[in-house]
Amino acid sequence: MEIDFCSYNIRGLNSKIAFVKDFFSTNKISFCALLETHVKKENFVSISSIIAPRFTWLNNYEFHYNGRIWLGWDSLLWNVIVFRASAQQVTCFVSRRDGSSSCVVTVIYAYNDLVDRRPLWNELFAIQNDLPMGPDSLPWCLLGDFNAFLEANETTGDLPNRNRAMVEFKQCVKHLAVTDLHYGGEFFTWRDGNIVAPLQRKLDRVMVNAKWLEVFDLSSAKFLPRGLSDHCPAVLLLGLQKDRLSKPFQIFNHLIEHEDFLQVVEKAWDIEVTGTPWFRLSSKLRNVKKALKILNRDVGNLHQEVITTRQALLDFQSSMSTPSSQSQREEELLLISKYKAALLSEEIILKQKSRINWLNKGDGNNGFFFKSCKGRWNTNKLLSLEDDLGVTHTSHESISRTACGLFYGPSGFGSRFGVG
C-alpha cells in the first residue's frame, strides 16, 4: 500500500525507532506526522534522520518544549510550505512536485484538557478564514489526534448526560463545515493500558471540507492496527494514479558470503547455451541472475522474521473483538514481545554486517546499519531528467522516452558511436 498522508500518535518514539522506521518502509509513506514523540529537541535531527534519511523534517518545539508534532516528507515528491503552527496544530500548503495535486493539510494533536483545547478550535476558525480566496477555495484536510470524540458510541466508557468536550468538538466541526472522510479499518483508534477492562475511544480522525470531496473524489482514509502504540495510525490515500517504478535486483555482501553462492552461480553459468558469443553471454548472465533471485528469496532476506512477526501482530490486532477479552490482550502482549525480539535480532545482524562501531541511541539504529549494508543504492536512482529544451521530466515513462531520444537522436551518444 502506498500512503499519501499519515498521522501517527506514536506515544514515545525513543523506544520505537526501529518500529517506526519499519512502518515507514513497509507502507511506502512519503508524508507523515508523528505525534507525542517525547524526544528532546537536541535529539530531533539524529533520530528523524534514522527514521527517514531522505525526508525533510520540521517540528513545533518553538511552541512547546516537547515538540508535540513532527512533520516529515519526501521532498522529491512534495512541496510543503508552513502556513501556521502552534502547540496543537501545524498547517501547511502541500503540493506534488509533478503538479498533479495541491491542498491544505492541518495536522492536529490536541491537548487532553477541555479548557486547553479551546484555543485550538479558535485557531482552526482563523485558519479557515485566512485561507486564500475564502474557506472553500482549496481542498482542506485535518488529520491527527483530536483528543475528543463526536458521538456517544465512540467510547466504551461511561458517558455523562452532557459531555461538554463532545459538545464543543461538534460545534467546531459544524462551524468548519468538515466531515469524516470515508474510512475503513479500526473504529476505536485509542485504547488505554488496562488489560482487564480497557477503555477504547475514537480520538484520531481524518476530516475534510467540501472542496476536498470535489477535487479528490476517490480519496479514502484507513485506521491501521496500533502496532506498538496505544493509537492507530490514520492514513490517507488521495486516489491518484502514480507511476510504479520497479527496483533493479542487486547483490549485497550477505548473499555473496552465503555458503551456496559459488555453487549456485557455477550451476547456472554451466547451463548449455548455443548461438552467437553475445547471445551466449547475455543468456548466461540472465540464468545467473534468475538463480540468485531464488537464493535471495529463500535464504538471503535478513528481515523475514521482522516481517513475519510484525504481520502476525497487526493481523491479530485487526481481528480482536470489541471489547477484547483478557486472553486476547495477553496474546497481544506476547506478539508484541516477539516482534520486539525480532527487531532486536535484526539490529544485531545488521551491526555485524555493517562492521561499524556505533553508539546505541534508543532501540533502533537499524536504519543506519541497513543503510550501511545497502551502500549508495538511493543515490543511483534517476527521478528526473532534463531534455534539450530545458523541460524536466519526472514520470517513469517520460524519463525513459527522453533518455532514448538523447541517446538515439541525431546528436545523441548512440549516433556518434554508430549505435541504433
Side-chain angles (χ1 to χ4, degrees), residues 13-14 34-48 57-71 85-90 111:
L13 179 56
N14 289 293
L34 294 176
L35 314 178
E36 198 175 358
T37 64
H38 295 167
V39 173
K40 293 181 179 179
K41 184 177 182 179
E42 55 266 30
N43 295 328
F44 166 73
V45 173
S46 61
I47 293 181
S48 62
W57 288 90
L58 61 84
N59 58 67
N60 67 341
Y61 286 101
E62 177 184 355
F63 302 96
H64 193 280
Y65 72 95
N66 220 12
R68 306 177 78 246
I69 301 173
W70 287 18
L71 196 62
S86 69
Q88 300 187 79
Q89 62 83 25
V90 175
Y111 282 128

Side-chain angles (χ1 to χ4, degrees), residues 290-338:
K290 182 178 180 181
L292 289 178
K293 279 186 174 181
I294 295 174
L295 177 63
N296 185 63
R297 184 184 63 213
D298 292 342
V299 295
N301 191 343
L302 300 176
H303 319 292
Q304 189 57 49
E305 186 65 19
V306 171
I307 294 172
T308 301
T309 54
R310 179 192 67 237
Q311 195 59 49
L313 171 62
L314 298 183
D315 288 345
F316 184 80
Q317 289 178 332
S318 297
S319 65
M320 291 177 70
S321 59
T322 303
S324 56
S325 65
Q326 182 169 346
S327 61
Q328 285 180 320
R329 294 189 288 275
E330 291 172 351
E331 177 67 17
E332 181 188 24
L333 290 178
L334 179 61
L335 291 173
I336 288 175
S337 177
K338 289 182 178 179

Side-chain angles (χ1 to χ4, degrees), residues 51-83:
I51 294 171
R54 282 180 45 197
F55 273 29
T56 299
W57 288 90
L58 61 84
N59 58 67
N60 67 341
Y61 286 101
E62 177 184 355
F63 302 96
H64 193 280
Y65 72 95
N66 220 12
R68 306 177 78 246
I69 301 173
W70 287 18
L71 196 62
W73 66 92
D74 186 342
S75 56
L76 295 176
L77 298 178
W78 300 101
N79 286 316
V80 177
I81 301 175
V82 177
F83 175 59

Side-chain angles (χ1 to χ4, degrees), residues 121-236:
W121 310 145
N122 293 328
E123 290 171 23
L124 297 179
F125 301 154
I127 290 170
Q128 183 188 53
N129 292 331
D130 292 343
L131 289 177
M133 298 179 294
D136 295 325
S137 62
L138 291 172
W140 188 22
C141 171
L142 302 89
L143 75 164
D145 178 5
F146 290 81
N147 259 317
F149 47 89
L150 285 173
E151 305 293 342
N153 68 335
E154 294 179 352
T155 178
T156 59
D158 294 333
L159 186 69
N161 293 332
R162 182 172 175 81
N163 187 306
R164 187 62 193 169
M166 188 171 70
V167 171
E168 292 187 2
F169 187 23
K170 278 187 175 182
Q171 291 173 344
C172 174
V173 169
K174 182 178 180 180
H175 183 93
L176 296 176
V178 295
T179 186
D180 283 319
L181 183 62
H182 176 76
Y183 66 88
E186 305 291 330
F187 177 74
F188 294 113
T189 67
W190 170 82
R191 193 192 77 186
D192 68 4
N194 192 319
I195 297 296
V196 178
L199 176 64
Q200 299 181 89
R201 287 179 173 172
K202 184 172 181 61
L203 301 181
D204 305 85
R205 314 187 89 95
V206 178
M207 309 192 82
V208 297
N209 66 351
K211 189 67 174 181
W212 180 283
L213 296 176
E214 175 187 334
V215 174
F216 303 110
D217 56 326
L218 298 178
S219 63
S220 62
K222 189 172 184 179
F223 296 95
L224 305 179
R226 296 181 305 277
L228 300 184
S229 177
D230 56 355
H231 281 262
C232 295
V235 304
L236 189 155

Side-chain angles (χ1 to χ4, degrees), residues 23 59 109 125 197 211 219 280 286 290 322 324 366 390 404 410 415-416:
F23 174 78
N59 58 67
Y109 180 28
F125 301 154
K211 189 67 174 181
S219 63
R280 292 171 57 198
R286 280 196 297 271
K290 182 178 180 181
T322 303
S324 56
N366 303 56
C404 290
S415 63
R416 299 176 194 174

Side-chain angles (χ1 to χ4, degrees), residues 241-259:
Q241 190 171 2
K242 305 181 183 70
D243 289 324
R244 297 188 179 275
L245 305 180
S246 300
K247 294 182 180 180
F249 174 67
Q250 293 176 296
I251 302 175
F252 295 105
N253 288 338
H254 73 276
L255 196 60
I256 296 175
E257 295 170 358
H258 191 273
E259 58 182 4

